[in-house]
Amino acid sequence: MTLFCGFLAPERVVIGADTQASEPDETGRLCVDGRHVSKLVTVPHLHAVVVCRGAVEMARVVQSALLNIGSDDLELVATGLGIFLEPYRDMKPSPEDLAIDPEGAEALAGWNVLLVGYDPKLEVCGAWLFASGEHGAKIWGQRFQRGPLLGSSDQLSDAETVLVTRLAHSEPSIDSVTAIAALQYEKLTDDQRRIGFGGHLTIADIDATGIRLELRRDFFAEA
């Protein structure tokens, strides 16, 4: 699973994701063993990063596909990524796979893949979202040019949602992303925390000049 958040504007995007991972043990039950993975995948020749939420396998297959792609046209790559991900649309875990109650599984099922970066051709930042399930079908491959980019946000209160909206319409910043990441983590349920949220916070800060990466070790422990 992945906790991610970010703020997108035409001139800049800042996005963060956690690193803690869970995979099935010998009994098939998902568990966290202190292992960390990159859920925020850099694609330097695209001037972009990809955030993967869901099964760890999604990050692996997307990274492999994009690192070997023969184009640096971000719009074209987004179209190709949508075609590549099509066979995975219906992939989601069952309550038995997660070894938690069905209500908890419903909140954790499915996956999202977010391609975000700077498009030199249009000279603006953009984001393309691909997601499984019925909701994903409505927004498959949709391009965004301003706004919040959030995962694990269902538990936010109305007041907290107003805060996110206000930050989304201001200048993207690392401070804003870290503040919302801490808030998201605070709101997670016990089931969500148990199957792979937390660890360190990886941050990508992207604009026309390049990509700057930062790792905040034990961020969520401090949060």
Side-chain angles (χ1 to χ4, degrees):
M1 310 310 292
T2 302
L3 181 151
F4 72 85
C5 64
F7 294 100
L8 171 69
E11 67 282 355
R12 182 186 182 193
V13 58
V14 181
I15 189 162
D18 74 322
T19 63
Q20 188 157 277
S22 61
E23 284 193 306
D25 60 18
E26 62 276 3
T27 69
R29 183 185 179 91
L30 281 180
C31 63
V32 175
D33 58 4
R35 201 168 53 84
H36 295 273
V37 301
S38 177
K39 302 173 183 178
L40 193 157
V41 177
T42 58
V43 191
H45 69 287
L46 291 180
H47 204 140
V49 300
V50 176
V51 180
C52 298
R53 183 179 184 220
V56 171
E57 285 74 15
M58 290 303 300
R60 292 172 181 156
V61 297
V62 170
Q63 180 181 36
S64 177
L66 291 179
L67 289 178
N68 290 284
I69 203 164
S71 174
D72 60 359
D73 184 324
L74 209 53
E75 190 89 46
L76 185 63
V77 169
T79 300
L81 182 59
I83 296 171
F84 174 80
L85 290 171
E86 188 71 36
Y88 299 91
R89 270 196 173 190
D90 297 326
M91 186 183 81
K92 65 179 183 178
S94 68
E96 292 76 20
D97 293 331
L98 294 170
I100 59 177
D101 64 90
E103 184 177 347
E106 184 64 28
L108 297 168
W111 56 264
N112 307 110
V113 171
L114 180 71
L115 172 67
V116 56
Y118 179 78
D119 187 340
K121 186 168 66 175
L122 299 179
E123 298 184 338
V124 293
C125 292
W128 291 260
L129 177 65
F130 305 90
S132 63
E134 295 180 5
H135 178 64
K138 299 176 184 177
I139 57 175
W140 186 268
Q142 181 175 338
R143 178 176 182 145
F144 301 90
Q145 201 164 305
R146 176 175 286 280
L149 309 167
L150 297 178
S152 304
S153 59
D154 295 342
Q155 298 97 325
L156 297 183
S157 68
D158 290 343
E160 290 157 349
T161 301
V162 169
L163 170 63
V164 170
T165 302
R166 179 174 61 80
L167 291 174
H169 287 84
S170 59
E171 173 67 20
S173 70
I174 291 176
D175 286 346
S176 297
V177 166
T178 54
I180 296 303
L183 180 61
Q184 287 176 294
Y185 189 65
E186 177 189 340
K187 295 291 182 176
L188 293 178
T189 66
D190 289 341
D191 272 336
Q192 288 174 319
R193 288 181 185 236
R194 184 175 61 77
I195 66 168
F197 292 93
H200 313 316
L201 182 69
T202 51
I203 301 170
D205 185 353
I206 306 171
D207 60 20
T209 66
I211 303 174
R212 291 158 295 280
L213 297 173
E214 180 178 328
L215 175 68
R216 299 202 172 185
R217 297 185 63 84
D218 303 319
F219 171 83
F220 295 105
E222 295 169 2

